[in-house]
Amino acid sequence: MTRSPEPDENSKPSSNIGGGGGGVTTAMRVIIPLQGVVQGRGGVFLGSVIPCALFYFLQLYLRRNRDDPREADDRSNPQNSEPRDDSGSSGQQLAEIHGFHRTSSRNLLSPRSPAGRAYVSGRASVIAKSPGGSESPYYAGMRKATEDPYDETGNPNGIIQLGLAQNKLTMDLVKEWLVKHATEAIVGGGGDDGDDEHLSINGVSTYQPCDGLMDLKVAVSSFMSQCMEHSVSFNPSNMVLTAGETPAIEILAFSLADAGNAFLVPTPYYPGFDRDVKWRTGVEIIPVPCRSADNFALSITSLDRAFNQAKKRGLRVRGVLISNPTSPVGNLLTRETLYSILDFARDKNIHVVSNELFVGSSHGRADEEFVSIAELVDEVDKERLHLVYGLSKDISLPGFRVGVIYSFNDTVLSAARHLTRFSPVSGPTQHLLIAMLSDVQFVQEFVKVNRERLRRTFDAFAGGLKKMGIDCAESNGGFFCWANMSEWISSYSEKGELELWDKLLKTGKVSVTPGSCCHCIEPGWFRFCFATLTEREIPVVLERIRGVAESCKSQS
Amino acid sequence: MVFKLNNQLLSRMAIGDGHGENSSYFDGWKAYDSDPYHHQNNPDGVIQMGLAENQLCFDKVEEWLKKNPAASICTPEGVAGFKDVAIFQDYHGLPQFRNAVAKFMGKVRGDRVSFDPDRIVMAGGATGAHETVAFCLADPGEALLVPTPYYPGFDRDLRWRTGVQLVPIECDSANNFKLRMEDLEAAYEMAKLNNIRVKGLLLTNPSNPLGTILDGDTLRNIAAFTNENNIHLICDEIYSATVFGKPDYVSIAEIVDEDRKSGRNVLNLDLIHIVYSLSKDMGFPGLRVGIVYSYNDVVVSCARKMSSFGLVSAQTQHMIGSMLSDAEFVEEFLGANRARLAERHGAFTGGLGRVGIRCLRSSNAGLFVWMDLRRLLKEQSVEAETALWRVIINEVKLNVSPGSSFHCSEPGWFRVCFANMDDETMEVALGRIRAFVAKHKEAMKPARKLCAQSSLKLSFSGRIYDEFIMSPRSPIPQSPLVRART
């Protein structure tokens, strides 16, 4: 079914009202033309949109009515407040008070009066209620796991968290480094400024360039090269640092697209994109479905189809947002695929944003080659290429909030430098990371050990699932097993998938991410983050999953 | 076919100049950046007096950090906490951090009010906090009222990505730039007449750039006004711990508390929001800790989700959490901070006063003075102000910020920051001003005569002058401390 552009246009006024609370009269102004559309064209689609819109207005109407008593309360307030104002004031102030009584009564009569409660913004009410906000399984699972976390001795019946992308496998190395290099503590100043030899927070806590210290950019560049086995070298002056990948992606969305434009994003994708790309920017995401039959590899045909569908809906596509290694699946994009994406982007004259968050965590076979988008830069094309990176995954420091925008487009870089003022990296953290990432030996060792451990844990976990008959997609990078549990779901639909997810959480006490949160079009896939598991926990988790799987089998 | 990507392919935001950094406020920074003063290496460089940074109490903080090595997780004492901190990415923030900040905010307000740690929302500095509030309260095209002069960054923080407008309320020197209720009402009515949907009023209290505070009654009246008109009241209180003189500071939180404790329950708390930060009060702008404290549950929940876009590093949270939990330290820090700011303010305004330059007399807070150079202007216009400012930057070599960048309605006012330097640098700055004024004595004199011609102006400035000299806050040094220094 293809969608016609009309419904989108029609639904816009309704959202404006949500923000403005214009009232029933405004609502009627929208409903009447809506009726016109129905009579004019009809169709299944409009048949569904119009009842929705009407229902929305009904709710709006009810909400206004429910608020009335409260408004009345508020209106009676001035009288109450008068004595108080009188007590502490002179005659002049009294006059002022009378002054605004008069104006306020005029307000109530004026057609433009802001009668009704003061609304928060439309954006805020959407976010506060949004399913993508807190109540999608992705966030609900995380919350549950935080409330009742598993602990081998303290809380052996708690929930094991496999829903949050974090890597605890190699944290001991980072900790060890800190013990050894404690002299370079955040307040050490570390001799990078010969001026103050003594302990000083001057230079750490004072104002700094908001897009990150040059020293840290240099250190991050070399770390990125290290993760990519030196196949690319990065220029620190093309880099902007932000407080995590979340703002990095949002800033790129703000810079590359206007509200109402769209990005093509291959599915399954990282659930956070819905927040990062869409929430505050008003930019849309057009999912580009990938299928299990091709191990979720991206095909240009589906990219092209999605582009054309978007165009038909009247959406202007501004770019493709890819992840490499893909998340959650974990496969690497081949050089050919990347070239064809670039050709596609050139052909359509759009941007390519490559999210290479997991590059240092690629743990696949040696013959699988990781190709960064930065490798493919040639003079003509580089202005449309942008890379997103961060230190939360590859060096497992998500709490430190360091994200990276690497772009070849000077205008984007300059905009990003201004925009990152809203989400800068904290000073002490920058200084600590400069010291840590500049230690080449440590970085080499870390990346190597991290890869080994990821591979080992992946093999153990995926192997365990395999024994139960659960297949995982082939993965070469990242923290996830992308597991096919479609045989265990009661009905081949999102509903069946969520039932199993709920059972895993409540009965199995394992928090995972259902594929529907990643916008996977095939039901029954689940994302398991294995990188938080210790060797001892793996059998515990597998046992719990087996328990749930068996109960499913016996039911069917 | 291959065609080069042009700017049309970027968003309007990326191409536009909504960041506002083309204003002279930021120009001055660039001048400073290219030629910064250093007492040895570059004694003729530009002295930065455009940056509201508080460096007067760094020694206290350093002392504390030395005594508490465990607070920073990268010392042998603190590394035990490393694992928990490094992976902590919950947007609620570390509980210890939230508790400590809530307690600190109460302490700054003399423990007259308490704050609920569950309402503390993190943001990337006050910049991020303001933007978050604007995102939460207003949709594109809607407006917030802001009394002028106001912080130049608001044009960026509140407007740029949110699409929200700012409607200025003009205040002038006739009553020391105090916000008058009738001006507030008039601006509100005018906005409505122009079909602008006003969603709230933004107050900076203590004011940046004025360094003044709102008295309790005015604040009560303003709160009553916003309440009655059902618009939001956003109080930017990031300078609350810099109040160094009488009268005492009154926070909106106290007005709320008063309202609730007296049982009147007049104020609709859903309309009241506070923006806070540690950049000014603690002097930690590099730590990028901004706080949104809202009494509205929807705003708290929404802002918290949005704080994913500007989370404070967990390491910093941990450090701040430990530091601000230390009640003894906080007490001592706040006391020392006030005393030193008072001393510096006295010394600086005293130095200016001796060469005949006045500053806004009612100032008792902030990291800056609001300097009156109207007499040095060739004519009372923004152009003349900008011309004078260029002279100050290029010849006097001081980066001060002209009033026009703060949307001040009267030309000739300048914001001069005094807390981001040591005593020696301040003396150098004063010496430069002295030399400049001496050179322009002729210019100063006719200006005075000009004033004399207009009897209105004469009595007006005379009044200011008297009160300026006689007031207990007079910058003419009176305290033994200040006298001893000079």
Side-chain angles (χ1 to χ4, degrees), chain A residues 19-20 70 74 77-78 80-81 84-85 88 93 96-97 99-101 103-104 106-107 112 114 116-124 127-128 133-134 146 164-166 168 171 174-175 178-179 182 185-187 195 198-202 204-208 243 246-247 250-251 254-258 275-276 279-280 316 318 346-347 349-351 379-380 383-384 396-401 409 411-412 415 418-419 421-429 432, chain B residues 2-5 7-14 19 21 38 51-53 55 58 61-62 65-66 72-76 79-80 82-83 85-89 124 127-128 131-132 134-140 142 156-157 160-162 164 181-182 185 188-189 192-193 195 197 199 217 220-221 224-225 227-230 232 259 264 266 268 270-271 279-280 283-288 296 298-299 301-302 305-306 308-316 319:
Chain A
R70 202 163 153 188
D74 289 345
N77 289 340
N80 299 341
S81 68
R84 184 194 59 187
D85 285 321
Q93 259 173 338
E96 274 172 16
I97 289 166
F100 70 70
H101 270 198
T103 50
S104 82
R106 219 185 304 141
N107 283 350
R112 274 192 301 276
R117 64 187 281 196
Y119 289 96
V120 295
S121 72
R123 286 180 283 231
I127 289 172
S134 69
T146 324
L164 191 59
Q166 59 185 21
K168 293 188 189 165
M171 291 195 71
V174 182
K175 195 167 159 181
L178 280 175
V179 175
I186 45 155
V187 285
D195 211 20
H198 66 293
L199 179 83
S200 166
I201 58 163
N202 216 328
V204 173
S205 70
T206 52
Y207 274 106
Q208 287 151 4
T246 295
E250 192 194 39
I251 285 173
F254 265 125
S255 311
L256 303 181
D258 287 311
R275 171 193 65 199
D276 305 351
W279 263 14
R280 306 203 297 188
R316 178 154 180 209
R318 283 296 183 91
R346 192 179 297 144
D347 183 41
N349 198 17
I350 58 176
H351 295 271
E379 279 306 307
V380 186
E383 294 207 314
R384 68 174 90 245
S396 42
L397 297 172
F400 281 23
R401 313 304 305 162
N409 187 318
T411 316
V412 170
H418 289 304
L419 286 166
R421 198 168 269 277
F422 297 107
S423 39
V425 186
S426 187
T429 302
L432 172 63
Chain B
V2 176
F3 44 92
K4 205 163 163 70
L5 201 75
N7 276 346
Q8 282 172 354
L9 256 179
L10 299 178
S11 69
R12 286 187 287 274
M13 191 176 291
H19 48 77
E21 296 193 8
H38 188 281
L51 188 59
E53 198 170 71
Q55 301 183 355
F58 275 176
V61 176
E62 278 164 14
L65 283 171
K66 266 187 218 159
S72 119
I73 52 166
C74 32
T75 56
V79 80
F82 167 74
K83 194 166 171 180
V85 170
I87 60 163
F88 184 85
Q89 51 179 333
T127 300
E131 192 193 41
T132 304
F135 264 123
C136 289
L137 300 186
D139 282 309
E142 295 177 337
R156 169 197 62 210
D157 303 350
W160 191 18
R161 302 203 294 193
T162 62
V164 171
M181 288 311 290
E182 55 268 32
E185 283 160 27
Y188 182 62
E189 291 300 326
K192 277 204 301 192
L193 277 178
N195 253 330
R197 196 180 150 85
K199 282 308 254 312
D217 284 333
R220 259 175 227 115
N221 287 341
F225 174 82
N227 197 54
E228 187 169 335
N229 289 291
N230 227 341
H232 294 276
D259 180 71
R264 269 189 295 245
V266 172
N268 177 2
D270 280 349
L271 296 175
S279 306
K280 311 297 179 185
F284 287 162
L287 266 50
R288 310 309 307 155
N296 183 325
V298 180
V299 172
S301 121
C302 175
K305 286 172 191 166
M306 281 192 188
S308 299
F309 297 108
L311 283 185
V312 180
S313 155
Q315 181 200 9
T316 301
M319 192 177 91

Side-chain angles (χ1 to χ4, degrees), chain A residues 493-508:
Chain A
S493 66
E494 192 179 320
K495 186 167 160 278
E497 180 180 294
L498 290 181
E499 272 170 21
L500 179 55
W501 168 79
D502 194 58
K503 209 179 266 176
L504 279 166
L505 184 64
K506 295 208 175 117
T507 325

Side-chain angles (χ1 to χ4, degrees), chain B residues 101-120:
Chain B
V101 169
K103 228 167 81 192
F104 181 74
M105 287 173 72
K107 198 88 204 157
V108 166
R109 286 150 188 83
D111 278 331
R112 292 183 296 271
V113 272
S114 60
F115 292 88
D116 178 1
D118 290 336
R119 291 193 179 279
I120 301 269

Side-chain angles (χ1 to χ4, degrees), chain B residues 25-37:
Chain B
Y25 176 72
F26 294 101
D27 273 356
W29 284 22
K30 285 168 206 155
Y32 166 75
D33 283 340
S34 60
D35 181 22
Y37 170 82

Side-chain angles (χ1 to χ4, degrees), chain A residues 54-73:
Chain A
L54 287 172
F55 183 65
Y56 183 87
F57 291 126
L58 178 72
Q59 282 191 321
L60 190 78
Y61 177 75
L62 289 176
R63 198 169 62 179
R64 282 177 56 86
N65 273 14
R66 198 177 34 203
D67 283 340
D68 275 343
R70 202 163 153 188
E71 267 171 60
D73 244 341

Side-chain angles (χ1 to χ4, degrees), chain A residues 196-235:
Chain A
D196 357 298
E197 289 94 6
H198 66 293
L199 179 83
S200 166
I201 58 163
N202 216 328
V204 173
S205 70
T206 52
Y207 274 106
Q208 287 151 4
C210 57
D211 61 320
L213 297 172
M214 199 30 139
D215 287 344
L216 182 55
K217 291 184 189 175
V218 171
V220 170
S221 309
S222 75
F223 179 72
M224 286 166 72
S225 291
Q226 176 69 39
C227 291
M228 297 176 191
E229 325 250 286
H230 299 289
S231 58
V232 209
S233 66
F234 293 92
N235 179 356

Side-chain angles (χ1 to χ4, degrees), chain A residues 22 44 64 75 81 117 125 158 178 213 219 265 359 375 381 429 438 508 524 535 546:
Chain A
V44 181
R64 282 177 56 86
R75 299 239 173 83
S81 68
R117 64 187 281 196
S125 22
L178 280 175
L213 297 172
V265 186
V359 56
E375 255 183 81
D381 246 330
T429 302
S438 305
E535 231 161 287
R546 188 200 309 279

